[in-house]
Amino acid sequence: MIKKIGLGLLLLTGTSSCQVVKEFQKNRLNDAEMILANRKIEKTELSFQSYREGASGANAGKSGGGCGCN
Amino acid sequence: MKKICLTVVGLYIGLFAAFSQSNTDSSYRSRKLKIEEINLVSSYYHQEGDHAAVTGGIGSQKLTDFSNSLEVKLIRYDRANRKQTWSADIGLDHYTSASSDKIDPKSVSSASYADTRIYPSFSFSRENEKKGTEWGAGLSYSGEYDYTSIGASIHGSKKTANKMGELTVKGQVYLDQISLIYPIELRDGNSTDPLKRGGDSRNSYSLAMSWSQIINQRFQLAFLLDLVQQQGYLSLPFNRVYFTDGTVHVERLPDSRFKVPLGFRANYFAGDRLVLRSYYRYYFDNWGLTAHTASLETSVKISPFFSVSPFYRFYQQTGVDYFEPYLTHTPGKDFYTSNFDLSKFTSHFFGSGIRLAPPKGVFGIQHFNSLELRYGHYSRSNTLQSNIVSVHLKWK
C-alpha cells in the first residue's frame, strides 16, 4: 500500500515538471482556498478528530498538549 | 523646432522618472504595529455513541462542546524591511459529557458533568521577503478542571532561490499536568491496584518538517513529516477496564509513545471556478496503531466572491495492542484499555461549507472581509456519530 502511494507520488512529481511562476502569476496559487494547510474554520474539527481517533499530526497543527479525555 | 522636441522628450523622461520615484516611495512600509486581521471561529459539536471509556467500553458517549476562538494578528516592518507578525489567540470551550458524569455514578449531576477549557497563545514571527527566510516562536497555555498544559514552539523556514519551494522546520514542547481523578469505587484504598494519588505529568516533544513546492500556476503540493515523543502518564485515570474475572481496574497504558505521521497535500486550481484540495496521511506508532487518512474538498466558485465547498474524509485505523472491549481483558497483563478511540475502526466525515468574501465587505461592511459556514457529519464504524457546525468571521 505504502509502496503504491510512494510510486504514485514519484510519478506525480516526476511527470509534472516544475515551472518557475512569477509573483504576478500567482493569483490562483494565492487564492484563499488554495492554502497548503488546514483552514481556520477546520480548527474544532481537527480537535475532535484528534480526540476521537488514535492518529494525529502531519497537518501543521498541534501534536500534543490538551487532554482528549472525553 | 528641435529644441521644442527635445524639451518635450526631456519633460516626458522627467515625468517618467518622477513616477518611477513615486513608485519607489510607495514600497515604503509602515513601521507602526497595525492590525492585519482578526479571526473569530465558533463551533458547536454534538456526539452520540455506546462505548464510553469511563464505563469500561459500554454506556453513553453523549457529549456537546461549544468552542470559540478569537485571534488578533498584528504586523509591522522593521528598519531592514522585514515583516514582523505578532499574534494573540484566545480559545474558550465549554462541554457537557454524559460519560464524565459516570466517574461517580451515584451523584445526580457531578462537577465532572460539565467543564470549561481556556487556551490562550501568543506567537511572533519575522519574515525576510528578499531572502525568503522566516523564523518565529510561540507560547501557549491550556487549562481545565483536571488538566493544564504549557506549550512552547520555535520554527524556521527557507525558500529556494526561485521561491518555488520552501522547507519549514518546527519544534514543539508541551508540558502537561493531569489531576488523578479515579472512578469513585477505586479511590482511597477501595482498589488493590498500587494507584498513584494527586497528579502526574505528561510531556510531548515534536519535530515537524514540511516541504512545499509550486509545480505550476495552478498546482502546488506539500510533504509533511512529524516525529512525536510522549512521555509520562499517558492513560486516563477515570477510564475503567472490566476484566474477565469481573474485577474493575483503571486503564493502564505505557509511559512512552512514539508517533510518526507522514502527510501529503496537493491543491489544484482547475479552470476558473474549481479548486481541488486533497490530503493523505499515513500514521504509525509504537503502541501498534497504524492509520490511513484521505480527504478531498472541492471548492466551486459560483462567483469570484462566493464559493461552495463539499468535502469527504476517510479514516481507518488498527487498534492499539492493549485494547480489548468490555469484560474481555484477562488478568495478568501489564497494559490494558477499553477506550474505543484506540480500537480498530473506520470513519467517514462529510459535509459542505460556503464562503462569502465580497470586495466591498460582507453585508457592505468594509472591514468584514469574509464569512464562512461549514457543516460536517462524522460516522464511526463502532456506533459513534457526531455533527459539527462552524462559523469563521474575518476582519481585515
Side-chain angles (χ1 to χ4, degrees):
Chain A
M1 178 70 178
I2 299 166
K3 281 180 184 172
K4 281 180 188 172
I5 293 159
L7 277 172
L9 295 179
L10 277 175
L11 197 69
L12 188 72
T13 48
T15 51
S16 313
S17 56
C18 302
Q19 300 167 4
V20 175
V21 182
K22 305 280 183 197
E23 285 305 312
F24 66 89
Q25 295 172 320
K26 289 185 179 172
N27 59 324
R28 286 190 177 89
L29 297 173
N30 291 336
D31 186 278
E33 279 152 341
M34 279 288 281
I35 184 170
L36 275 172
N38 292 299
R39 290 190 286 160
K40 290 191 190 299
I41 198 164
E42 296 174 69
K43 192 172 183 174
T44 313
E45 289 172 13
L46 290 167
S47 174
F48 97 73
Q49 284 160 5
S50 71
Y51 288 176
R52 293 288 75 94
E53 297 171 348
S56 60
N59 52 21
K62 100 186 239 198
S63 351
C67 179
C69 20
N70 300 289
Chain B
M1 188 64 187
K2 262 185 188 176
K3 273 183 185 176
I4 292 167
C5 282
L6 281 171
T7 310
V8 169
V9 169
L11 275 172
Y12 179 76
I13 290 167
L15 273 171
F16 194 78
F19 276 107
S20 300
Q21 187 63 44
S22 75
N23 279 346
T24 308
D25 285 346
S26 72
S27 70
Y28 170 79
R29 284 152 161 181
S30 171
R31 286 183 196 155
K32 281 184 186 170
L33 207 57
K34 62 173 188 178
I35 293 175
E36 169 74 352
E37 62 182 54
I38 299 172
N39 293 288
L40 176 68
V41 179
S42 289
S43 298
Y44 177 78
Y45 171 79
H46 178 80
Q47 74 173 40
E48 300 268 359
D50 298 325
H51 293 297
V54 173
T55 38
I58 54 166
S60 172
Q61 288 175 278
K62 190 174 177 178
L63 179 142
T64 58
D65 180 64
F66 182 51
S67 70
N68 297 283
S69 110
L70 178 72
E71 179 201 49
V72 180
K73 204 179 264 185
L74 303 127
I75 62 159
R76 71 180 286 266
Y77 286 85
D78 64 14
R79 288 182 181 181
N81 215 19
R82 292 172 301 200
K83 184 182 177 184
Q84 293 181 356
T85 304
W86 303 76
S87 182
D89 194 338
I90 185 150
L92 194 73
D93 290 4
H94 182 76
Y95 72 83
T96 57
S97 163
S99 66
S100 294
D101 206 30
K102 298 295 179 193
I103 295 169
D104 180 2
K106 286 172 192 164
S107 61
V108 177
S109 186
S110 66
S112 59
Y113 177 69
D115 199 2
T116 299
R117 181 168 82 99
I118 184 162
Y119 46 103
S121 65
F122 303 93
S123 66
F124 168 81
S125 66
R126 194 178 74 183
E127 183 187 0
N128 188 326
E129 289 167 349
K130 247 184 192 173
K131 288 184 180 174
T133 56
E134 182 184 306
W135 70 268
L139 286 171
S140 66
Y141 170 84
S142 173
E144 54 195 305
Y145 179 72
D146 59 343
Y147 205 92
T148 57
S149 172
I150 293 169
S153 69
I154 52 165
H155 77 268
S157 67
K158 169 81 179 152
K159 285 182 181 162
T160 56
N162 60 10
K163 305 214 170 150
M164 298 285 288
E166 184 175 20
L167 174 72
T168 302
V169 180
K170 186 175 189 180
Q172 292 179 100
V173 177
Y174 291 97
L175 306 173
D176 302 359
Q177 281 293 318
I178 182 166
S179 301
L180 298 174
I181 299 169
Y182 294 102
I184 189 74
E185 70 274 25
L186 298 177
R187 289 179 202 167
D188 301 318
N190 288 335
S191 168
T192 53
D193 284 345
L195 300 174
K196 294 174 186 174
R197 297 283 183 270
D200 212 329
S201 63
R202 175 188 299 176
N203 300 332
S204 307
Y205 311 92
S206 81
L207 182 68
M209 289 162 281
S210 70
W211 175 262
S212 59
Q213 179 71 47
I214 293 170
I215 305 297
N216 58 40
Q217 289 179 44
R218 294 173 177 273
F219 187 32
Q220 57 188 349
L221 47 85
F223 297 93
L224 308 127
L225 168 68
D226 289 4
L227 303 171
V228 185
Q229 175 66 40
Q230 288 189 298
Q231 274 176 312
Y233 189 82
L234 304 182
S235 317
L236 286 168
F238 40 74
N239 283 353
R240 292 176 176 90
V241 177
Y242 291 90
F243 281 25
T244 48
D245 61 3
T247 56
V248 57
H249 300 255
V250 168
E251 172 185 84
R252 184 164 295 175
L253 291 165
D255 59 6
S256 170
R257 190 178 185 186
F258 183 60
K259 310 193 234 184
V260 183
L262 274 156
F264 171 74
R265 278 185 194 281
N267 292 352
Y268 185 71
F269 205 123
D272 291 327
R273 291 178 180 270
L274 189 68
V275 175
L276 299 168
R277 288 165 53 82
S278 62
Y279 175 69
Y280 171 77
R281 177 181 65 192
Y282 174 71
Y283 169 97
F284 67 94
D285 64 30
N286 63 350
W287 286 8
L289 194 142
T290 59
H292 297 278
T293 310
S295 70
L296 180 68
E297 182 174 311
T298 53
S299 292
V300 183
K301 292 184 182 296
I302 308 295
S303 81
F305 319 115
F306 177 65
S307 58
V308 179
S309 307
F311 64 88
Y312 171 70
R313 176 182 183 270
F314 172 79
Y315 176 83
Q316 184 178 52
Q317 73 175 38
T318 62
V320 297
D321 297 338
Y322 321 110
F323 174 82
E324 291 285 349
Y326 181 69
L327 281 177
T328 49
H329 275 289
T330 50
K333 291 177 180 172
D334 289 333
F335 304 113
Y336 35 84
T337 178
S338 291
N339 182 352
F340 273 72
D341 297 340
L342 300 174
S343 69
K344 182 181 179 182
F345 65 81
T346 57
S347 73
H348 306 274
F349 182 52
F350 56 89
S352 187
I354 56 166
R355 182 171 184 273
L356 200 64
K360 289 181 180 173
V362 180
F363 308 128
I365 303 164
Q366 197 192 349
H367 292 293
F368 190 174
N369 180 266
S370 66
L371 167 69
E372 276 184 88
L373 282 166
R374 188 168 153 110
Y375 165 77
H377 175 75
Y378 183 79
S379 171
R380 210 165 81 172
S381 56
N382 49 21
T383 76
L384 188 109
Q385 304 274 321
S386 69
N387 293 290
I388 182 166
V389 182
S390 301
V391 60
H392 173 205
L393 312 176
K394 181 175 175 179
W395 278 263
K396 195 165 180 165

